[in-house]
Every structure is written in C-alpha cells, then in structure tokens.
Amino acid sequence: MAEKRERPFNISRYLSNSGPGRTIVRLNAKQIFSAQGDAADCLFYLQVGRAKLTIVSKGGKEATVTLLAAGDFFGEECMAGQSELRTTSATAVTVCVVLKIAAEELTRVLHEENAFSDLFVQFLALRSTRTQADLVDQLFNNSERRLARTLLLMADYGNASGPVSLIPPVTQETLADMIGTTRSRVSFFMNRFRKLGYISYKNRIRIHKSLLMMVLEDRLPEQNASRPKLLDVAVSHVQSPGHTRGPGRIPSPARTQTPGHTRVPRRAKL
C-alpha cells in the first residue's frame, strides 16, 4: 500500500482553521484578549474585526498604542521566553475572530515551515518600520498632521487590497491618546476636516480620498501654533521699525504743543 502523502503546508489554511496548538476565539466589542502583566503564553492572529493595544502607566493613565486590523499578529512577547509578561492589553474594538497559537506550536511552525517563518519575519519587519514612522510622526509633525495620518492608517490607505471609507468606531479620547494631544484639539481638527470636505461623520467616520491628497501635497493650514491675526497685527504695529518709544506710549504727531494742551512730556519741563 502506498504511503499517505502529507498535504503541503498552506499558510492561509493554517491561519484560518483550528488545530493542534491552535484555537479560534470570538470576542465581542470591548472584550479583552489579554491584559497587561499577564503571562505571554500565545500569539494572536486577527482574522476578522478591529482591536487596539493599550498600556497603563504606573500613575494609572491609559494610552492607546496602536489599532489592529484583520491580518495583524499581536502578542509576540511569547517568543522571548516562558517568563515573559504582556507589555500591553489587547481589546476588541468591534466583533473579532482571532486564531490563538500556543507558544510551543509557534516555535514548532517557525522551525519547520519556512513559508510561515518568512511571513512572520516580514510582518515583524513591517511593524518595526511602522513603529519608527510613528516615532518620526511624533517628533516632526504637528498634531493636526498626526491626526490626518492616523485616520488614513485606520482606513487602510496604502493597503494592497484597497482602503475602506468607513473606519471602525473610535472616540476622540482614543484619537487624542494616539497622537499625543487633548480631546478638545482633536474635536477642533475633526470639525475643520469636515468643513474642508476631507471627512464626514454622523455615527461613524467616513474618510474621503481628498484627505490623502491633502497629506501628500502638504496642504494643511498652518494655524496650530499661531496667534490670532488681529493680535499679530497689533504687535507688529507697536514694534514696527523706527518706533523708539516703549509700548503703551503714543507718539505725538509734532514737537510743538497746541494751546490748551495740559499733558506736556516730561522732557519739556525744564
């Protein structure tokens, strides 16, 4: 009898089905995959839905690190060793379906299946590039441009499968945490984007292609850190060239004083 031939390894089939060391889990919105400080004993692969990674400081302040989309791995701390702990909490933003891969199974498939290891290494490299881009964004771009970039990333612009116009439900507080500003500033920028036609929203935010073109052409108005124009005009008038008197002292139009003028400059009192 001929020996039964094993089927060649198929990445799509492996990541879409349960099996030895692999379990498919379904979570509703706001449910937690894993919490910060838990033992890192598995890797997650997001099949369907949107999730977010958050971190809590020692002072109790929570910040959103990144948003996850279908096709993302997370929880890779399990590769560092059995004693590793989760550095972030993973929470479902929408209804999610994930494949949970045990650490032992992950080690096996990385060693035995080159196709999977190539895919996983490529994903880690892309995530590292994304993290560096996020750092550059924080260092060199103002909060308005950071918000525009975050919205485009949430809409998957640049994805080979094409962008989506409606992004997952997200609060202004979450957006503020992600770009490092306040909720009031996010509200101000979102209203501006809507007036300019870059986005529209009622219950969910819809991203228009004009937002991408605006970012690529660098057409955001430069008003984030500027003072009101009227104030700038007043200051420039007081400090104009040739003005020798201190601010708040109005120069007289002529040296001679008109009859009846009682407010005589001190230099005239000799």
Side-chain angles (χ1 to χ4, degrees):
M1 179 181 292
E3 293 183 1
K4 185 179 179 180
R5 297 181 59 185
E6 294 184 0
R7 290 186 300 178
F9 181 79
N10 185 290
I11 296 178
S12 298
R13 185 168 58 243
Y14 181 85
L15 292 175
S16 59
N17 295 286
S18 59
R22 309 195 313 278
T23 307
I24 293 180
V25 181
R26 177 187 174 92
L27 282 82
N28 294 322
K30 298 184 179 180
Q31 286 189 302
I32 297 175
F33 298 98
S34 59
Q36 181 179 344
D38 288 350
D41 57 355
C42 66
L43 176 74
F44 295 98
Y45 175 76
L46 186 57
Q47 295 178 345
V48 177
R50 288 293 186 102
K52 64 179 180 179
L53 299 181
T54 58
I55 189 169
V56 178
S57 68
K58 292 182 179 179
K61 183 177 180 181
E62 182 179 271
T64 300
V65 178
T66 188
L67 294 176
L68 303 169
D72 283 344
F73 292 97
F74 59 98
E76 58 271 18
E77 303 98 331
C78 65
M79 299 179 61
Q82 297 181 353
S83 60
E84 287 299 312
L85 302 177
R86 301 289 186 194
T87 57
T88 59
S89 296
T91 308
V93 175
T94 63
V95 175
C96 293
V97 179
V98 295
L99 179 68
K100 184 177 178 181
I101 307 175
E104 296 80 5
E105 169 61 14
L106 177 62
T107 301
R108 183 201 67 79
V109 73
L110 286 172
H111 288 167
E112 297 181 5
E113 304 296 346
N114 292 334
F116 182 86
S117 59
D118 290 345
L119 172 69
F120 190 63
V121 169
Q122 182 183 18
F123 173 81
L124 293 179
L126 291 174
R127 170 164 290 178
S128 175
T129 302
R130 164 76 179 275
T131 302
Q132 293 182 28
D134 289 343
L135 178 59
V136 171
D137 191 42
Q138 289 285 342
L139 291 174
F140 295 108
N141 289 334
N142 58 37
S143 53
E144 188 173 20
R145 285 179 170 80
R146 296 200 302 272
L147 176 61
R149 176 176 176 269
T150 299
L151 294 174
L152 291 172
L153 289 173
M154 294 179 66
D156 283 341
Y157 274 90
N159 193 337
S161 60
V164 293
S165 57
L166 284 174
I167 65 174
V170 61
T171 65
Q172 292 184 351
E173 288 83 357
T174 298
L175 291 173
D177 289 341
M178 294 180 67
I179 66 174
T181 187
T182 61
R183 190 206 62 79
S184 61
R185 295 293 283 171
V186 169
S187 178
F188 174 78
F189 297 142
M190 294 290 283
N191 288 328
R192 175 186 287 175
F193 289 169
R194 182 169 57 178
K195 291 178 182 178
L196 294 174
Y198 298 149
I199 64 173
S200 58
Y201 58 89
K202 187 175 182 180
N203 296 324
R204 290 180 59 184
I205 302 172
R206 183 181 298 274
I207 307 300
H208 299 161
K209 191 176 181 179
S210 56
L211 181 64
L212 174 64
M213 301 307 298
M214 175 271 298
V215 171
L216 293 177
E217 297 175 8
D218 198 18
R219 290 188 284 110
L220 273 174
E222 295 286 353
Q223 297 176 2
N224 289 338
S226 61
R227 292 174 295 183
K229 292 183 178 181
L230 290 178
L231 180 59
D232 288 339
V233 171
V235 172
S236 62
H237 174 75
V238 172
Q239 297 179 350
S240 57
H243 183 76
T244 56
R245 296 178 182 265
R249 299 183 64 184
I250 303 175
S252 59
R255 292 180 180 274
T256 59
Q257 303 296 329
T258 58
H261 183 72
T262 57
R263 297 183 64 182
V264 181
R266 292 185 179 182
R267 292 183 180 180
K269 293 182 179 181
L270 298 175

